[in-house]
Amino acid sequence: MTALLETRSLQKSFGTNAVCKGIDLSVGRGEMVCLIGSSGSGKSTLLKCLNLLEPIDDGEILLDGEDISIPGLDPQPVRQRIGMVFQSFNLFPHMTAVENAMLAPRRVHGKDRATLLPEITGLFERFGLADRMAHYPDQLSGGQQQRVAIVRALAMKPEIMLFDEITSALDPELVGEVLDALRELREAGMTMILATHEMGFARELADKVCFLDAGMIHEEGPPEQVLSNPEKARTRAFLRRLL
């Protein structure tokens, strides 16, 4: 499969702290790749580099074969193609859910509210939020806010979605509704990269699982192989602690 998104020897440091130490990652169109590993292993930094929120120090990031990590490249066209949802919802508290979702397409694409409303309404319906469009963030549960954040990212019609531990701040009973939203995206064929601790979800739906440790991918492969029969001692130790 030809890679839609690829990194080659990606390196990123903060001062003397090397966080990504030559990461090679390949994601095909329509694939779901789950990144697993302890806090500080480089998962979040890798995702931010892919979205050009952090400049890389060395290596390449290729989107459809084009190097998007060139210094001075305008990041905005790339971010329109690569959406990202964070652990914290980052919704504007003074805006309703629908206003939050409409903000970026109105500013970036210059679309008016009337043009956007049917499309955005469809996204809210798709993720079970049709009756919450006029609610403000503080009127929504954590799971609902996270689903609004997903709708907001999808409103830009990205080709790829990045998710950074989006269930880790939620109460356990709210995790399922967010995972259901990801499941729906998976079934629709969205290309996704997730940093996650939800091993059951990764086992069920991922095409590939990558175990990161100390800024490197130490093991990758189908979820059954990596999660049930890992080859590397570090992977086995991590899974023992987690499971």
Side-chain angles (χ1 to χ4, degrees):
M1 179 183 292
T2 303
L4 174 59
L5 187 64
E6 183 179 4
T7 70
R8 296 176 180 170
S9 301
L10 185 151
Q11 297 182 39
K12 174 65 181 178
S13 297
F14 296 98
T16 58
N17 181 25
V19 181
C20 296
K21 303 174 184 175
I23 292 179
D24 295 311
L25 177 68
S26 179
V27 183
R29 190 177 299 275
E31 277 193 326
M32 174 189 275
V33 175
C34 287
L35 310 177
I36 66 171
S38 303
S39 297
S41 60
K43 305 186 303 296
S44 294
T45 298
L46 173 59
L47 291 177
K48 289 175 183 175
C49 289
L50 294 177
N51 194 241
L52 305 189
L53 292 170
E54 291 288 353
I56 66 173
D57 298 324
D58 202 359
E60 295 177 312
I61 304 172
L62 304 177
L63 177 59
D64 252 346
E66 178 185 353
D67 188 356
I68 60 171
S69 59
I70 299 170
L73 186 79
D74 181 5
Q76 292 309 319
V78 173
R79 290 183 191 143
Q80 291 174 38
R81 298 176 67 186
I82 305 177
M84 187 162 180
V85 180
F86 299 88
Q87 176 180 337
S88 54
F89 319 125
N90 295 327
L91 299 177
F92 290 108
H94 63 288
M95 293 183 174
T96 63
V98 69
E99 288 169 342
N100 267 282
M102 283 188 174
L103 182 62
R106 291 184 72 177
R107 284 190 174 177
V108 176
H109 297 309
K111 294 183 178 180
D112 59 59
R113 181 184 175 90
T115 302
L116 280 171
L117 190 58
E119 187 177 298
I120 299 294
T121 299
L123 286 172
F124 275 88
E125 290 172 346
R126 179 176 167 187
F127 293 103
L129 293 164
D131 60 343
R132 295 291 186 269
M133 291 173 61
H135 286 58
Y136 288 90
D138 65 0
Q139 298 172 314
L140 303 173
S141 71
Q144 289 167 342
Q145 290 185 64
Q146 195 58 286
R147 282 184 285 155
V148 171
I150 293 172
V151 167
R152 179 178 60 183
L154 291 175
M156 292 297 288
K157 299 183 177 179
E159 297 172 53
I160 302 167
M161 285 292 294
L162 311 176
F163 298 98
D164 187 13
E165 301 281 11
I166 64 169
T167 60
S168 62
L170 299 178
D171 293 332
E173 65 267 22
L174 301 177
V175 169
E177 63 189 58
V178 175
L179 293 182
D180 284 344
L182 297 182
R183 190 174 282 107
E184 199 279 340
L185 284 177
R186 177 76 173 96
E187 291 169 357
M190 174 62 74
T191 306
M192 293 185 280
I193 308 174
L194 292 79
T196 185
H197 287 295
E198 301 292 340
M199 295 300 139
F201 181 79
R203 187 189 304 275
E204 175 192 355
L205 289 175
D207 293 290
K208 180 165 61 178
V209 172
C210 299
F211 168 62
L212 276 72
D213 184 66
M216 301 174 66
I217 295 178
H218 276 273
E219 186 162 359
E220 65 178 281
E224 277 303 316
Q225 181 254 304
V226 175
L227 299 178
S228 298
N229 190 30
E231 297 176 354
K232 303 290 181 68
R234 287 189 186 183
T235 315
R236 292 194 293 272
F238 168 76
L239 291 171
R240 276 198 301 272
R241 290 198 305 271
L242 198 67
L243 303 175

